[in-house]
Amino acid sequence: MNKQGDIPEHLFTDFEGTFDGVLARVIPVAANYTSEWAGSAARYDCRIKIRYHKELMAQLEEGMMLAVKNFRGQSKRSQKQQIDRYTVMVISKVWPLHYGLGGVSDSHYFPLQMEIIEQAVPDWGTDDQSTMMVHMTAIPINYDLVIGSDGEVEFRKGFSYPLIGSKVHVINMETVDEIYNSKVKQAMGFKRKTTTADPKKDPRIGILRMFMESDAKVPIYVDLHKLIRYHFGVFSFTGGGKSNLLSNLFRRILYHTDDTKLVLFDISCEYPFLLADVLADDSIKSTIILEEEAKTAEHFSRAIVKPRDFEEDKRANNALEKLYDKGIVTFFNRPQTQIPSYASILHEISTLRSDSTGRPNYVQALDEIADFVVGWMEMADKSQNEVIDKAFVDDFAVGAQQAVEKFKVSDRSTVYAWATTRDSLKATIARGQRARSSGTTVKDILRMFSGPERVICISIADPDILRELVVNLTGAALRYRKRSFEIKPQILFVFDEAQEFIPSKASGLLDQCSSAVERLLRQGRKYGLGGAIATQRIAYLNTNIMQQLHTFFVGTLPRPYDRTVVSSSFQIDLSILDKTLEFPPGSWLLSSYIATGLDNVPVFVRADNSEDRIQEHLEAL
């Protein structure tokens, strides 16, 4: 191992001799359990003092990784095995201090204050370490950097208390690349050493927001199979680049996994354009499903939302018209009448029961009917979100009739009229199954799940239609996978504008939709079914669904409550999350329990720009 003193030179950088810092303090931080959404905090806050150098302030950035020797490296066992152990930290804040400015008080004579402050300006351009210093705070990430006697490097999970007064080292670019990417690239079978933003050539999602002053850049990779299977979320305010990031992730998934399918519930009707280059690729079979039939290519291009920079670009309309001419655009053939589900039947029974509390015999009759429905569902292996069929109606009509007669319900009551007319549901089923001669039905979409289609983009602006499709499609996919014991191909269900599908408090169809998504995320990973959630107001979401996400991308969230929800849900320190307030669109905090090189370690990334790919596609046309 090449060492300079006790420092493994090949792992660390001192920015050409400008970084010289020590760990000054380690402050225990008490956890806050006063509120469910109080946010989680790191157990320790580390304070570091660094000798001032004018070039250093341009090099240091929040998010860089540090290493400090710890007490475990002092143990007899470590010394016997000649092992060095370092506690790994992430920089959370950096600021310079001037000794003269520290003595200025608001009570001092005003001209004196101004004179001292103005005289500090030329000092910053020197390397005078007697009057200036750099302060830094860092948060341990619960990993140790372990260096064996043979120079082998290993990252071991767990916190070790660092040695106060020890030198602090900045982990260099090559080591950071190795930490985050080597294991992931090996899992994906990606061996190329050079990196590019071209999604066909490189599965990277972007570059790390570290060493930004350097000409070389560190790419960042995620295990795409684990990203899909264990679900992920994208959270940022409007205009933060959620759709841009998602469309880039979709390109990597489609080009660098063998047969993964995407089902996009596109309530904003924007993905046909954002993925225009992918949809135009003949090697990726795709279908775009609209709410109404687009009779002409021009009609289709007007129905799709385009980013602001492309609204006046005639080439954008040309690209969409070519997709239409390709024959991949269809429309949703919605039944004229909605067939009731078992949940709606039970809801009707519950409503009648509430209205009949003063008549015990009516209540008993309705309870027996409800027991019949539940028993029939268990026997037929049906879920509440499934629609009823004629076989159920035949038995249900008989069971309801017998119940009202058994408990002598008055033949002039509402309960009796309802129970004795259940056979009429057959006509409702017949009307619901009557479809128009063209378009795409729910059964057609379900067949695509087993067909060659890899992208199924459902661009429908009506939220109720989309919610019905979410309930029907996710439920059917989950049931099929359970019965067939299949886990391939992987299917990723994407819920953009997730607040329209999984709000925290809901009733009726919204509640059914939220429950369907929750069921998908709870059970889907066992059957190769994944979910992607994207929204600008995370606080409005069903928290049970939030807990199922194993990977998350966080952009700027201006509301403190949203950041505390992220902090509590994903165990990330609030001081790290606050850094996202400075992010421009396209920059993200990425952390994952399973899909990155270091589990649950936050890292700042700058995603590749999806609009660059669109520009290239339009130019190629």
Side-chain angles (χ1 to χ4, degrees):
M1 180 170 61
N2 179 22
K3 290 192 175 184
Q4 184 180 357
D6 289 333
I7 302 173
E9 192 179 63
H10 67 293
L11 299 179
F12 304 142
T13 178
D14 61 2
F15 299 107
E16 299 181 352
T18 63
F19 185 92
D20 182 11
V22 296
L23 179 64
R25 296 177 66 192
V26 178
I27 305 171
V29 179
N32 187 348
Y33 299 109
T34 58
S35 166
E36 179 184 2
W37 300 119
S40 62
R43 294 170 56 201
Y44 297 95
D45 182 18
C46 299
R47 304 295 173 87
I48 298 162
K49 296 182 184 291
I50 308 161
R51 298 186 191 280
Y52 179 79
H53 195 287
K54 63 183 178 182
E55 289 295 328
L56 187 62
M57 286 305 299
Q59 301 283 348
L60 290 177
E61 298 176 40
E62 288 94 342
M64 284 183 171
M65 301 179 74
L66 308 175
V68 185
K69 283 194 173 183
N70 58 46
F71 281 95
R72 287 193 181 182
Q74 302 287 97
S75 69
K76 291 181 179 179
R77 180 180 178 184
S78 295
Q79 292 181 353
K80 181 179 180 180
Q81 297 176 350
Q82 295 183 325
I83 293 175
D84 286 337
R85 294 186 68 123
Y86 294 80
T87 298
V88 181
M89 310 174 185
V90 171
I91 299 175
S92 58
K93 289 186 179 66
V94 179
W95 70 98
L97 289 179
H98 190 288
Y99 185 80
L101 294 178
V104 177
S105 170
D106 289 343
S107 62
H108 287 163
Y109 184 49
F110 293 164
L112 177 62
Q113 292 185 47
M114 296 299 294
E115 180 71 18
I116 296 174
I117 293 171
E118 289 171 357
Q119 286 183 359
V121 174
D123 289 345
W124 297 122
T126 70
D127 295 324
D128 184 0
Q129 297 175 355
S130 63
T131 57
M132 291 171 292
M133 180 183 287
V134 179
H135 277 213
M136 178 188 294
T137 61
I139 298 170
I141 61 173
N142 298 321
Y143 273 89
D144 273 8
L145 170 63
V146 182
I147 306 172
S149 58
D150 57 354
E152 185 178 351
V153 177
E154 180 187 357
F155 280 81
R156 294 183 189 173
K157 195 169 182 64
F159 173 76
S160 299
Y161 200 93
L163 290 171
I164 299 175
S166 293
K167 285 185 66 68
V168 177
H169 309 290
V170 180
I171 298 177
N172 66 24
M173 188 183 303
E174 292 76 14
T175 308
V176 169
D177 189 5
E178 180 75 13
I179 292 170
Y180 279 105
N181 294 324
S182 60
K183 185 170 68 174
V184 174
K185 290 167 71 174
Q186 183 178 2
M188 294 193 298
F190 183 72
K191 299 180 180 179
R192 184 179 298 176
K193 293 184 178 180
T194 57
T195 184
T196 173
D198 188 338
K200 291 185 177 181
K201 298 178 181 178
D202 195 336
R204 78 177 200 185
I205 62 171
I207 61 174
L208 291 176
R209 283 179 57 93
M210 294 185 199
F211 307 100
M212 299 298 284
E213 289 296 310
S214 171
D215 293 333
K217 304 299 180 186
V218 181
I220 182 69
Y221 297 87
V222 296
D223 189 320
L224 296 174
H225 289 288
K226 290 180 179 179
L227 180 74
I228 297 166
R229 188 167 184 175
Y230 294 92
H231 322 308
F232 66 93
V234 177
F235 312 117
S236 179
F237 79 117
T238 302
K242 295 187 299 298
S243 300
N244 191 306
L245 173 65
L246 283 170
S247 55
N248 250 326
L249 290 172
F250 299 156
R251 285 185 179 87
R252 270 66 182 183
I253 289 169
L254 292 167
Y255 289 131
H256 296 280
T257 62
D258 294 334
D259 54 3
T260 304
K261 295 176 180 286
L262 301 180
V263 182
L264 310 178
F265 296 101
D266 179 22
I267 197 169
S268 300
C269 302
E270 59 185 351
Y271 284 99
F273 182 76
L274 292 176
L275 294 175
D277 56 320
V278 175
L279 298 172
D281 191 334
D282 291 332
S283 66
I284 299 176
K285 188 171 177 57
S286 309
T287 297
I288 301 170
I289 303 172
L290 305 179
E291 184 175 347
E292 298 292 341
E293 182 179 8
K295 297 186 180 296
T296 66
E298 184 182 358
H299 185 185
F300 169 64
S301 68
R302 288 203 305 266
I304 301 304
V305 176
K306 308 168 192 68
R308 183 173 59 251
D309 292 344
F310 295 92
E311 288 177 345
E312 303 300 327
D313 193 333
K314 293 182 179 180
R315 298 176 304 166
N317 291 330
N318 293 337
L320 291 170
E321 289 168 5
K322 285 186 178 293
L323 291 181
Y324 183 88
D325 295 337
K326 191 179 177 184
I328 65 173
V329 179
T330 181
F331 67 97
F332 180 48
N333 189 339
R334 192 184 188 194
Q336 297 176 2
T337 302
Q338 189 66 30
I339 301 174
S341 64
Y342 294 98
S344 62
I345 296 294
L346 291 171
H347 181 70
E348 288 179 15
I349 296 172
S350 177
T351 301
L352 289 168
R353 192 183 189 282
S354 299
D355 295 339
S356 305
T357 52
R359 296 180 174 84
N361 57 325
Y362 287 23
V363 171
Q364 289 175 304
L366 290 166
D367 285 344
E368 185 161 304
I369 296 172
D371 289 342
F372 168 83
V373 175
V374 172
W376 203 96
M377 289 168 55
E378 292 176 352
M379 179 190 66
D381 192 22
K382 300 288 186 180
S383 70
Q384 289 195 16
N385 290 326
E386 292 184 66
V387 296
I388 62 175
D389 55 23
K390 291 183 179 179
F392 167 76
V393 174
D394 287 337
D395 292 343
F396 180 47
V398 174
Q401 176 87 29
Q402 291 174 348
V404 293
E405 291 176 355
K406 175 181 177 180
F407 290 98
K408 302 189 184 310
V409 175
S410 171
D411 58 5
R412 290 178 290 181
S413 68
T414 302
V415 173
Y416 186 89
W418 176 86
T420 54
T421 56
R422 293 306 83 204
D423 196 57
S424 63
L425 289 172
K426 288 182 180 179
T428 303
I429 294 173
R431 287 194 301 273
Q433 292 175 339
R434 196 177 301 133
R436 290 175 284 183
S437 58
S438 59
T440 302
T441 64
V442 171
K443 289 185 177 180
D444 293 332
I445 300 174
L446 291 174
R447 280 194 287 268
M448 294 177 192
F449 289 178
S450 301
E453 288 84 0
R454 295 194 64 196
V455 181
I456 305 168
C457 183
I458 307 173
S459 296
I460 296 177
D462 188 326
D464 286 335
I465 296 177
L466 270 186
R467 289 166 191 151
E468 291 173 5
L469 283 170
V470 169
V471 172
N472 293 330
L473 295 178
T474 58
L478 199 54
R479 288 193 302 275
Y480 176 78
R481 287 292 174 93
K482 285 180 178 179
R483 291 169 181 169
S484 63
F485 301 100
E486 292 182 1
I487 61 172
K488 290 187 176 181
Q490 285 188 308
I491 302 178
L492 177 65
F493 293 88
V494 181
F495 307 94
D496 201 357
E497 304 297 339
Q499 68 278 1
E500 297 289 346
F501 304 101
I502 54 172
S504 56
K505 296 179 181 179
S507 59
L509 180 59
L510 254 178
D511 181 54
Q512 292 181 43
C513 183
S514 183
S515 298
V517 176
E518 182 177 342
R519 189 179 305 107
L520 172 73
L521 268 61
R522 284 185 182 278
Q523 304 175 19
R525 68 174 65 99
K526 294 181 289 186
Y527 306 103
L529 304 177
I533 305 296
T535 185
Q536 65 266 25
R537 272 315 301 272
I538 188 174
Y540 290 160
L541 301 188
N542 180 338
T543 55
N544 293 328
I545 292 175
M546 291 288 297
Q547 299 297 331
Q548 303 303 316
L549 305 178
H550 281 60
T551 304
F552 64 96
F553 299 82
V554 181
T556 301
L557 293 172
R559 297 175 179 85
Y561 184 75
D562 289 336
R563 297 197 298 279
T564 56
V565 171
V566 173
S567 176
S568 178
S569 298
F570 302 111
Q571 296 300 298
I572 190 71
D573 190 76
L574 278 171
S575 63
I576 295 290
L577 282 171
D578 288 344
K579 174 65 178 174
T580 62
L581 293 173
E582 306 169 17
F583 282 177
S587 291
W588 302 89
L589 183 150
L590 163 64
S591 187
S592 176
Y593 292 106
I594 197 166
T596 54
L598 288 182
D599 298 342
N600 200 31
V601 174
V603 59
F604 300 136
V605 305
R606 188 177 70 196
D608 292 327
N609 190 355
S610 176
E611 292 187 5
D612 292 343
R613 308 282 77 77
I614 295 297
Q615 286 284 9
E616 292 175 4
H617 176 62
L618 297 184
E619 290 169 5
L621 292 178

